[in-house]
Amino acid sequence: MGVLEWVKRWVTTTNHKDIGILYMVTSIYFFLVAGVLALVFRTQLAFPEEEILTGSEFNQAVTIHGLLMLLWFMSPFEIGLANYIMPLQIGARDLAFPRLNALSYWLYLASGLLLVAGFFVPGGAADMGWTLYAPQNVLLTGKGTVLAAVAIILLTASVTVGTVNMVVTIARMRAPGMTWSRVPMFTWGVLFSVLMMWLAFPPLAVGAAALLLDKLLGTAFLTSVEGGALLWDHLFWFFGHPEVYVLLLPALGAMADIVSVFARRQLYARRFLLIALFAATALSYLVWMHHMFITGTSLNVRKIFSVTTALISIPFEMATLALIMTLYKGRIVYRAPLLYTIAAIFFFILGGSTGVFQAAIILDRAFRGTYWVVAHFRYIMVGAVTLGLLAALYYWWPKITGRLYNERLAKIQLILLFIGINLLYLPQFLLIDMPRRYYTYPAEWKLLNQVSTLGSYIVGLGFLLGAYILYKSLRHGEKAPPNPWNAWGIEWTTPSPPPRHNYEGQPVVRSDGRIEYVSEASLAGSGVHIPDGGHSYTFHEHWSGNPALIGLALFITGLGIALSKALMLAGLALLIVAVARWVRDDYYSKFHEEEPGYMETWPFTGIDKNRLGMWVFVTSEMFLFGSLISVALFIMSRSLAWTPGYIHHDPYLGLLNTIILFSGTLFYSLGYYTYKNGARIKPLMLLMGTFFTGLLFLFIKSIEWTRLIAEGYTLSSGLQAQLYYVLTGVHAAHVLIGIIATLYLIFKMALDKNVSLTTLIMLGIYWGIVEIVWTILFPLFYLI
Amino acid sequence: MAGIVPPQEYWWMLFKYYLLAAFVLAGGVTALLVYFFSKYRASSEDEFAEDYPGPGRVPTGFAKIGATKYMLVVTGIIVLGLTIATYPYTEYVELTPSSPDIVIWVTGYTFGWRFEYPPDLGGFTTINEVVLPTDTVVEFKVTSDDVFHAFGIPEFKGAKVDAIKGIVNSLWIKTPSQPGEYDIFCYELCGVGHSLMKAKLKVVTPEEFKEFIESKR
C-alpha cells in the first residue's frame, strides 16, 4: 500500500475501529504534549527561585497542561477506546452513524490543534489556568485565549455529535439477546459518561462563546459586575464537576470488567452498582457550587451543595466495595491489567476520601486554591483514571493490535508509576498552604516541592517504559489468540484484531448467556426486517472525505478568528463547500445504512435510530439555549439598570413575528400529515409556506435590527442590548439553518425523490425547538 | 475579647476528626482490598469460580448485594453526619461576631493588596502590609479592583475568601495574644504577577499598635 493510499484510508475512514485508533493515537499525542509541559513546570518548581520559565510562560504551561490532559487526552482516549471496544462488546458492526463518528474525530483533532497553536501566536497560549477564570480571561490575555475559546466550542460540537452516536448505538444496536441487564460495565460507563457530557458541555460552550464575544466584539458578559466572575464560575463548574465523573466512569466500567475477568467471578452486586452509578450521574449536575464555597454566595445554598457533595461519595464508595467484593472467594490470576486496576482502586480510595473533606465548607475554606486540592484531584485523575485506562489499554491491547506484550515489563512499569505517583502527590497534601500556580515560592516549601518533582520524573520514566513496551509489542509481539485472558464477552469470541466487519455471522446471546454466531437469514422471524432483502450480510463499505474537510475548514476558520479576517473567510468558504458535498452525498443516498430489524432496541422499539439521534441532539440544543437564557436571567437579576423591553423593542412587531413563526411550524406539520397520507403537491406547497414564513421572520428581524442600530441601540449600549443581540441572533441563525434544510427537502420532493417520513419528522422536531425558544425570548426581551 | 475562640481552632479540631474517620474507613477498605487480593489466588489460569460466566459467554442475572449494604448505610451516616456536624462551626467561622474591634477594607489589585483602616483609627491606607494589635477580633471586608483574586492567611486556617469586583466578602480572625508576622497570599491565578502578590500581617502589642496609628495620622 502506497503512502497516498495509506493517507487516504485514514482520512476518509468511517469504520469504528479505525476512528477508535485515530482517537487513541491523537489523544496520546496530546498526552505527550501535556506531560512534557508538566515535567517542565515541575522542574521550574524544583527550586523556589528557579528561572527556567517566566511567570507568563509558567501560566501558559499549567493552563495548556490542564486543558489538554482533561479535555483532549483523557476523555478522547476513552471515546477512542469506546469507539473500538463498545460495538464489539454489544455485538454491533459499527456505530449508529459512522460518518458522524468521523466528524466527531476531525472536530476533536481540529480543536486540539487550535488550542496548542496558541503557543505560536502573539501573546502566547491561554494562560489563566484550565478553569480560565473571569474577568482575567478577557482582560489579561492574548490571542491564545481566543484560540482556546474557539477550541472549546469546536470540542463541544464534537462531543455532542459523539454523544448522539454513542447513545443511539448502545440503545439500538445491541445484538439479539444482549439485553440491558447483560451489557458489560465498560459500555455502561461509556453510556453514563456521554449522558453527562450531553448536558454539561452546552453551558461550557456558552461560557466560551461569551469569552469570545467579550474578546472580539467588546461585549461585557464576563467583565461586568453583573455577569463577570460569578457568571463564569457557574457556567464553568456546571460543566466542570460532571466532567470529573465523565472522565471517571468509563475507566471505572473497564476496571469492573477487568476485575470480574481476572478474579474469575461475576461482578459483585451489579444491579445495585448500576443504580448507584445512575444516581451519581444524575447527582453530578447538583454539586457544582462546591467549587464556589468562598465566592460569597448564600450560606444556605452552600449548605445544600455541601450535602449533595457528601452524598455523591456514597455511590462511588459502592463502586469501590463492589470491585473489592468481587475479589472475595475469587480465583485471582495476577495479570498486568488486574494489577493496574488494583492500584487504581487504591488511589481511588485515597483520592475519594480526601474529597469528603472538601465537602465540609469550613474545611474547604483552607483547601481552596492550594496544593491540597491539586493532590486530591490528581489522585483521582492520575491515580484512579489514568491507571484505570492503562489497565483497560493493557486488557484490550491484544484485541486491538493482535499482539501480546511483555507483561513483566508492564508490571515493572506499574511499580515505577506507583512509586512516582505517590512521591509526586503525597507531598502536595502537605503543601496545604501553598497557593496553586505559583511559579516562585517561599523557601520553606522547597523540600516538599523537590520530592514532588522527583516523583514527576519517575512517573515520566514509567510512561517512557510504557511506550517502549507497546512499541516492542507492535514490532515483535507474539500473535494474540482471540481470547488471551479466558475472558467472558462477545469481543473475545472474534479474532484479534477483528475483521473489518467485526464478526463472521451475527453474534446472538442465548438466555443462559452463551454467545452463538448465526447467519442473519436465520434471524428473519415474522416481520423482522433484514437489510439487503435477507441475503447474507454484506458489509457496507463506506468512506467519506467530508468529515475531515469540515475539520480542516473549521481549523482554518478558528485560526482566522484569532489572527486574520481573510483566513477566517477562506475557512468559512471551505466549510460551505464541505457541507455542500456532505449534503450532496445524502441527496443521492450515497451514504445510507439501514438498521437491521433484529437488534435489541428496548425501550426505543418504536423510534428508529435517526429520530432517537435527533432527540438526543435536540435536547442538547435545548440545554444550549437553556444556558443562554440562564445567562440572561442571571445578569438581569443582578442589573440595576434593566429597562422594560418595550422601551427598545416594538412588542407588536415581536408579536407579529411570533405569529409568523407559529404559522410556519403549522404549515410544516400539515405538510407532514398530507405527505404521510400520500399527497405530493399539497405537502410541497405547505413546505414552501414554511420556507417563506421563515424568510419573512428573518426579514422582519432585520428591519428591527436596522432600526435599533439607527437609533443607536448597539452592542455598546450595555448588557441588555448585548444579550438581546446575542440571544435573538443565535435564534435567527437557527431559523436560517431551518430554512435551508426545508429548502433542501422541497427540492428533493419536487424532483420526485423519495423523502422518508423520518427525515420530515427530524426537521419537524428541529422547528419545534426553534419555536419553543422563541416563545421564551419574545416575552423576555419584548414584554418584561 | 478574651472569650472568643479563634476560628482556626475549630478548623483544626474538625480536620482531625475527618482525618481520623478517613484513616479508619479508607484504611479499613484498603485493608480489605489487600487481604482479598492476596488471599484468593488461583492455582491455575483455567480455574474459575462457580459464578464466573466463562469464555464465550456474557454474565446473566445479577449477583446479590450482601453485607455491603450495611457498610454503605454506616459510612453514609458517618459522612453525612460529619458534614452536617460541621454546620455550627461553619456558621461560627463565616459570621463575624456582632461587634468586631477593627474593620479593615481589603482590596486586591494586579498585583497587590491595599488595606484601609477605619475612619476612627485615621482612615489611612497601607499597601501589602497590615498591622494589628494582639488579642483583637478583626473583620476584613474583601473586594477587588479588577480581576478575580482570593485573599488568604494560611496560618489562620479557614481565613480565606474570594476577592471579586463588585462583591464584598467578609472574613474575620482573632489575632493571637503574642506578637508575630504572618503571610498573606493570593489564592486565585490572576496573571503574571500572581506569585508575587503577597502581603504581611503584623500582629503587635497594643502599645506598638497605638504608636503605629499615631505615626500614620
Side-chain angles (χ1 to χ4, degrees):
Chain A
M1 199 162 48
V3 177
L4 258 168
E5 292 274 297
W6 186 84
V7 170
K8 190 181 166 196
R9 178 214 164 160
W10 288 106
V11 172
T12 61
T13 183
T14 62
N15 184 283
H16 75 96
K17 295 187 290 300
D18 286 355
I19 304 282
I21 290 171
L22 283 174
Y23 255 113
M24 284 189 270
V25 169
T26 310
S27 64
I28 288 171
Y29 164 72
F30 288 129
F31 172 73
L32 287 179
V33 175
V36 168
L37 286 174
L39 289 176
V40 171
F41 68 66
R42 269 319 320 170
T43 307
Q44 162 76 19
L45 291 173
F47 292 94
E49 304 285 340
E50 186 62 72
E51 282 174 351
I52 297 172
L53 298 172
T54 63
S56 163
E57 286 162 356
F58 181 87
N59 288 353
Q60 291 175 44
V62 293
T63 303
I64 301 300
H65 162 80
L67 283 169
L68 280 182
M69 282 293 192
L70 295 172
L71 300 182
W72 277 274
F73 158 60
M74 266 185 233
S75 202
F77 184 85
E78 290 168 342
I79 292 295
L81 204 58
N83 246 291
Y84 201 107
I85 296 299
M86 183 270 282
L88 288 168
Q89 273 198 327
I90 63 173
R93 290 187 191 277
D94 206 324
L95 293 188
F97 309 104
R99 192 172 37 161
L100 285 180
N101 191 29
L103 180 65
S104 293
Y105 168 73
W106 291 105
L107 288 176
Y108 154 66
L109 177 66
S111 64
L113 292 179
L114 277 176
L115 182 78
V116 177
F119 283 116
F120 308 103
V121 299
D127 55 355
M128 285 303 151
W130 80 278
T131 51
L132 296 167
Y133 265 22
Q136 45 264 60
N137 56 4
V138 179
L139 298 175
L140 301 178
T141 57
K143 299 280 189 204
T145 299
V146 174
L147 285 174
V150 176
I152 286 171
I153 293 170
L154 283 190
L155 185 70
T156 306
S158 160
V159 159
T160 307
V161 175
T163 298
V164 169
N165 226 331
M166 294 285 168
V167 170
V168 175
T169 305
I170 298 172
R172 289 193 57 88
M173 299 186 67
R174 284 165 288 128
M178 177 52 84
T179 54
W180 281 112
S181 66
R182 296 169 183 174
V183 168
M185 287 308 293
F186 174 64
T187 297
W188 274 113
V190 171
L191 182 63
F192 289 133
S193 174
V194 296
L195 284 179
M196 281 184 279
M197 289 201 230
W198 180 40
L199 304 183
F201 266 81
L204 176 70
V206 166
L211 172 55
L212 208 54
L213 290 169
D214 280 7
K215 293 276 306 174
L216 298 176
L217 299 180
T219 52
F221 299 120
L222 301 178
T223 51
S224 56
V225 168
E226 294 87 346
L230 283 188
L231 176 62
W232 177 265
D233 257 17
H234 282 294
L235 287 172
F236 187 86
W237 288 118
F238 189 87
F239 148 80
H241 205 84
E243 175 65 14
V244 177
Y245 304 124
V246 164
L247 303 173
L248 176 63
L249 282 181
L252 201 58
M255 284 156 65
D257 285 348
I258 291 168
V259 166
S260 161
V261 164
F262 293 98
R264 310 299 195 207
R265 278 207 65 187
Q266 190 167 0
L267 183 63
Y268 180 82
R270 208 160 75 98
R271 186 204 312 254
F272 206 78
L273 176 59
L274 284 171
I275 295 171
L277 292 183
F278 186 77
T281 302
L283 201 57
S284 74
Y285 290 115
L286 299 173
V287 294
W288 83 92
M289 274 185 65
H290 68 224
H291 295 274
M292 303 169 61
F293 275 165
I294 60 168
T295 51
T297 35
S298 135
L299 184 56
N300 285 330
V301 174
R302 282 181 287 148
K303 280 180 181 171
I304 293 169
F305 278 86
S306 163
V307 169
T308 56
T309 305
L311 267 178
I312 207 165
S313 69
I314 296 168
F316 290 108
E317 188 203 349
M318 171 64 211
T320 313
L321 289 175
L323 294 186
I324 293 174
M325 289 304 290
T326 306
L327 296 172
Y328 176 65
K329 288 192 175 168
R331 310 282 189 277
I332 303 171
V333 285
Y334 299 125
R335 306 299 290 269
L338 181 70
L339 298 181
Y340 275 82
T341 302
I342 300 298
I345 297 171
F346 170 76
F347 285 131
F348 189 58
I349 295 169
L350 235 161
S353 47
T354 49
V356 175
F357 286 61
Q358 281 146 236
I361 300 168
I362 173 171
L363 295 181
D364 187 66
R365 289 170 68 98
F367 302 142
R368 187 120 314 263
T370 68
Y371 267 86
W372 167 286
V373 177
V374 176
H376 155 74
F377 192 52
R378 300 309 131 113
Y379 264 100
I380 300 286
M381 287 297 125
V382 183
V385 177
T386 307
L387 283 195
L389 289 179
L390 270 174
L393 184 63
Y394 280 133
Y395 180 52
W396 281 301
W397 177 266
K399 179 55 60 188
I400 295 172
T401 62
R403 302 278 184 175
L404 298 177
Y405 54 90
N406 187 335
E407 269 191 74
R408 179 192 292 265
L409 278 183
K411 289 172 187 172
I412 294 173
Q413 186 201 352
L414 178 62
I415 294 171
L416 277 179
L417 289 177
F418 191 84
I419 295 170
I421 288 173
N422 281 316
L423 278 183
L424 176 49
Y425 301 123
L426 267 183
Q428 297 184 355
F429 276 123
L430 303 176
L431 285 170
I432 184 173
D433 293 339
M434 178 167 164
R436 303 174 69 169
R437 296 151 180 165
Y438 262 26
Y439 76 104
T440 62
Y441 56 87
E444 57 192 280
W445 297 323
K446 184 169 125 185
L447 181 65
L448 289 169
N449 270 295
Q450 284 175 341
V451 175
S452 191
T453 301
L454 178 68
S456 76
Y457 294 157
I458 297 175
V459 170
L461 212 60
F463 282 112
L464 212 59
L465 179 58
Y468 173 76
I469 294 167
L470 298 185
Y471 170 78
K472 199 79 176 152
S473 157
L474 275 182
R475 292 302 294 268
H476 312 289
E478 206 181 311
K479 288 258 187 300
N483 189 354
W485 312 118
N486 275 336
W488 52 262
I490 297 178
E491 75 265 37
W492 301 108
T493 59
T494 192
S496 307
R500 224 172 139 66
H501 46 288
N502 289 355
Y503 325 96
E504 306 296 346
Q506 171 64 45
V508 170
V509 180
R510 298 299 180 199
S511 57
D512 61 351
R514 262 180 312 118
I515 300 160
E516 277 180 17
Y517 283 90
V518 298
S519 69
E520 278 83 354
S522 69
L523 285 164
S526 51
V528 175
H529 172 75
I530 303 292
D532 301 327
H535 300 295
S536 69
Y537 190 92
T538 49
F539 180 64
H540 294 269
E541 189 71 56
H542 21 53
W543 52 270
S544 170
N546 296 330
L549 201 58
I550 291 180
L552 177 68
L554 285 169
F555 176 74
I556 295 173
T557 312
L559 274 187
I561 288 173
L563 299 175
S564 99
K565 212 177 230 171
L567 203 58
M568 182 180 86
L569 292 176
L572 285 175
L574 189 60
L575 181 64
I576 290 171
V577 171
V579 172
R581 282 170 54 106
W582 179 300
V583 173
R584 192 192 59 191
D585 282 1
D586 277 349
Y587 185 78
Y588 294 111
S589 302
K590 251 180 87 179
F591 209 97
H592 185 67
E593 172 112 37
E594 272 186 274
E595 259 194 293
Y598 49 77
M599 304 307 255
E600 291 284 343
T601 54
W602 188 87
F604 302 106
T605 28
I607 310 169
D608 71 13
K609 67 172 187 182
N610 293 312
R611 260 162 79 190
L612 181 60
M614 193 65 189
W615 275 114
V616 176
F617 172 72
V618 153
T619 312
S620 115
E621 282 278 279
M622 288 289 267
F623 249 67
L624 187 78
F625 274 112
S627 320
L628 274 172
I629 292 165
S630 310
V631 168
L633 292 175
F634 183 85
I635 290 179
M636 196 172 166
S637 68
R638 288 155 54 91
S639 287
L640 301 172
W642 196 273
T643 48
Y646 51 78
I647 294 178
H648 308 287
H649 313 291
D650 185 351
Y652 294 106
L653 216 50
L655 186 64
L656 180 66
N657 242 352
T658 311
I659 293 167
I660 288 169
L661 204 60
F662 266 88
S663 47
T665 317
L666 186 66
F667 290 148
Y668 191 91
S669 37
L670 288 176
Y672 165 73
Y673 282 112
T674 49
Y675 190 82
K676 196 177 167 189
N677 292 335
R680 284 298 173 265
I681 301 299
K682 257 194 223 164
L684 205 57
M685 303 306 287
L686 286 162
L687 252 63
M688 299 272 263
T690 310
F691 173 73
F692 283 112
T693 45
L695 273 189
L696 192 59
F697 177 90
L698 289 185
F699 178 68
I700 293 178
K701 178 117 282 171
S702 66
I703 292 181
E704 280 186 277
W705 280 31
T706 340
R707 208 196 269 172
L708 283 171
I709 291 167
E711 285 168 8
Y713 191 71
T714 61
L715 274 181
S716 42
S717 310
L719 279 167
Q720 194 174 355
Q722 291 164 6
L723 283 170
Y724 168 78
Y725 282 114
V726 170
L727 265 71
T728 59
V730 171
H731 178 260
H734 276 73
V735 173
L736 185 65
I737 292 168
I739 292 174
I740 294 170
T742 309
L743 190 64
Y744 166 78
L745 287 188
I746 290 172
F747 265 103
K748 213 171 173 180
M749 264 187 200
L751 296 174
D752 215 7
K753 285 261 185 179
N754 191 31
V755 176
S756 71
L757 285 175
T758 302
T759 315
L760 278 171
I761 291 174
M762 281 164 66
L763 187 56
I765 296 169
Y766 179 86
W767 275 119
I769 295 308
V770 172
E771 186 76 63
I772 289 170
V773 169
W774 181 255
T775 55
I776 299 169
L777 293 188
F778 169 58
L780 187 64
F781 285 109
Y782 288 77
L783 301 180
I784 54 173
Chain B
M1 288 288 175
I4 287 183
V5 182
Q8 67 268 25
E9 281 187 18
Y10 287 133
W11 189 95
W12 278 112
M13 180 191 85
L14 290 171
F15 184 68
K16 281 170 188 161
Y17 280 125
Y18 267 75
L19 268 186
L20 183 69
F23 266 109
V24 172
L25 291 178
V29 174
T30 310
L32 214 59
L33 172 71
V34 173
Y35 177 67
F36 288 168
F37 178 66
S38 48
K39 178 157 189 230
Y40 297 104
R41 65 177 66 201
S43 51
S44 85
E45 281 278 322
D46 307 317
E47 199 195 358
F48 303 149
E50 306 80 59
D51 65 351
Y52 186 55
R57 287 168 179 269
V58 297
T60 54
F62 294 113
K64 285 210 170 61
I65 182 165
T68 308
K69 59 176 176 278
Y70 303 112
M71 188 152 174
L72 276 184
V73 171
V74 170
T75 44
I77 290 172
I78 294 175
V79 166
L80 281 180
L82 268 178
T83 306
I84 292 168
T86 62
Y87 285 178
Y89 303 104
T90 304
E91 276 167 23
Y92 181 80
V93 170
E94 295 240 338
L95 308 174
T96 310
S98 50
S99 53
D101 301 322
I102 303 177
V103 178
I104 307 267
W105 282 77
V106 183
T107 309
Y109 59 92
T110 46
F111 300 96
W113 297 103
R114 190 169 64 239
F115 299 92
E116 265 175 66
Y117 282 76
D120 54 325
L121 292 179
F124 57 88
T125 298
T126 58
I127 299 291
N128 290 341
E129 185 184 80
V130 58
V131 180
L132 293 168
T134 52
D135 255 330
T136 316
V137 173
V138 183
E139 181 177 24
F140 295 105
K141 293 205 171 275
V142 181
T143 187
S144 164
D145 263 354
D146 37 49
V147 299
F148 196 132
H149 306 278
F151 176 82
I153 319 168
E155 195 63 33
F156 298 73
K157 286 281 177 297
K160 189 188 294 158
V161 284
D162 286 334
I164 301 170
K165 191 179 179 181
I167 294 176
V168 179
N169 284 326
S170 287
L171 175 70
W172 72 277
I173 60 168
K174 188 187 178 214
T175 55
S177 49
Q178 296 300 317
E181 248 189 49
Y182 305 93
D183 288 315
I184 294 171
F185 297 115
C186 175
Y187 282 91
E188 193 55 68
L189 180 57
C190 53
V192 288
H194 172 55
S195 317
L196 313 170
M197 193 169 155
K198 296 173 198 160
K200 280 269 182 255
L201 163 62
K202 278 189 186 160
V203 177
V204 296
T205 58
E207 297 74 36
E208 283 169 329
F209 185 67
K210 213 167 263 170
E211 277 171 35
F212 167 74
I213 295 293
E214 288 308 321
S215 74
K216 289 284 179 183
R217 270 191 210 272

